[in-house]
Amino acid sequence: MTADDFGLHQAVNEAVEHGYRDGVLRAASLMVAAPAVADAVARAKQNPGLAVGLHLVLADGRAILPPQRIPDLVDAHGMFNSDMVRNGFRFFFLPHVRKQLADEIRAQFEAFAATGLQLDHVNAHKHFHLHPTILSMMLSIGRDYGMHAIRLPSEPGMGPWLRPWLALMRWRMKEAGIRYNDHVFGLRHSGSMDEAVMLDILKQLPPGLSEVYLHPASHGHITESMADYRHADELAALLSPRVRETIAERYVLCDGFSDPAVSAA
């Protein structure tokens, strides 16, 4: 049970801490260049049982390197755009862009290492690691930083066009000795993972290891790209006694990908 965008806003950080201490949240994915990252790291260290991973940001967010180091990736303010299709072609075909991309990915791994937190997992904002170039860099660079688990963004019922990409991801991660989930939940209901949706998901989890991810926040509007997200409802779902009881009755709740139960799944 994971919260994404840890560090994006203090309201997100408050929700992660509340969801971990008083609910079923067990992991969070950290944006290392986000505005509230220092607060997020401090809260993680105050709650050492919370499994924290790296949420690589390569779209719709801030880079860690200054714009002059990666001018083909960000604007003058150091922000990535959201044109993932165009950028995906550039990452694949343009060597000078790939070099900047590798530098930024390494810098984000380095920034996570500098926090002193144990690296539980790695995933990418907007699941951009479905792109084979980004996944290749994650696998090669992540090895230097002790990466051992990556989210596989495979939700039951997804369109058939994604199956070849997911099959390639599975094969490459298996060859690299990287752990990954069998299923993920949170894609189709992103921003609306309220109690009713959570209970519906929990009543029909398939066999194997499932990761359920949310975007909780304690209050308010976080970013323009998530203007319609019901962050507070997602936090309420994590705190719901009915959700907790359903999990306790049916499943083993893992403490992140580092939990020994993950290897046994």
Side-chain angles (χ1 to χ4, degrees), residues 5 155 185-201 212-217 225-238 243:
D5 300 348
E155 184 163 3
F185 293 88
L187 279 164
R188 285 188 296 165
H189 298 283
S190 188
S192 59
M193 295 280 285
D194 60 16
E195 182 190 62
V197 171
M198 285 278 281
L199 289 171
D200 187 57
I201 288 170
V212 180
Y213 77 93
L214 304 90
H215 298 87
S225 63
M226 295 190 290
D228 60 344
Y229 277 37
R230 291 157 43 207
H231 300 287
D233 288 342
E234 298 205 352
L235 173 58
L238 291 168
V243 168

Side-chain angles (χ1 to χ4, degrees), residues 4-28:
D4 281 357
D5 300 348
F6 194 31
L8 180 60
H9 192 283
Q10 186 169 336
V12 175
N13 300 347
E14 291 169 353
V16 168
E17 185 171 29
H18 193 11
Y20 170 70
R21 289 189 172 185
D22 303 312
V24 297
L25 186 67
R26 290 295 175 268

Side-chain angles (χ1 to χ4, degrees), residues 119-176:
L119 182 63
D120 179 75
H121 60 270
V122 181
N123 52 54
H125 191 45
K126 298 186 177 293
H127 311 289
F128 214 173
H129 58 306
L130 274 164
H131 192 292
T133 300
I134 294 174
L135 180 62
S136 292
M137 292 178 181
M138 284 175 63
L139 292 172
S140 60
I141 295 169
R143 186 180 300 114
D144 297 337
Y145 295 90
M147 182 183 71
H148 64 87
I150 293 176
R151 174 186 294 162
L152 179 71
S154 175
E155 184 163 3
M158 292 173 65
W161 66 274
L162 272 176
R163 290 173 190 163
W165 301 100
L166 293 168
L168 178 62
M169 282 190 73
R170 285 191 188 93
W171 179 81
R172 296 182 69 183
M173 291 190 293
K174 185 175 181 180
E175 288 292 301

Side-chain angles (χ1 to χ4, degrees), residues 73-96:
L73 300 184
V74 298
D75 63 18
H77 304 289
M79 300 296 292
F80 294 101
N81 63 46
S82 299
D83 192 348
M84 295 170 66
V85 173
R86 176 177 178 270
N87 291 335
F89 280 106
R90 295 168 71 238
F91 295 165
F92 191 84
F93 288 108
L94 301 178
H96 69 286

Side-chain angles (χ1 to χ4, degrees), residues 21-24 26 240-249:
R21 289 189 172 185
D22 303 312
V24 297
R26 290 295 175 268
S240 163
R242 294 179 65 197
V243 168
R244 183 193 294 273
E245 290 165 7
T246 302
I247 292 173
E249 289 170 359

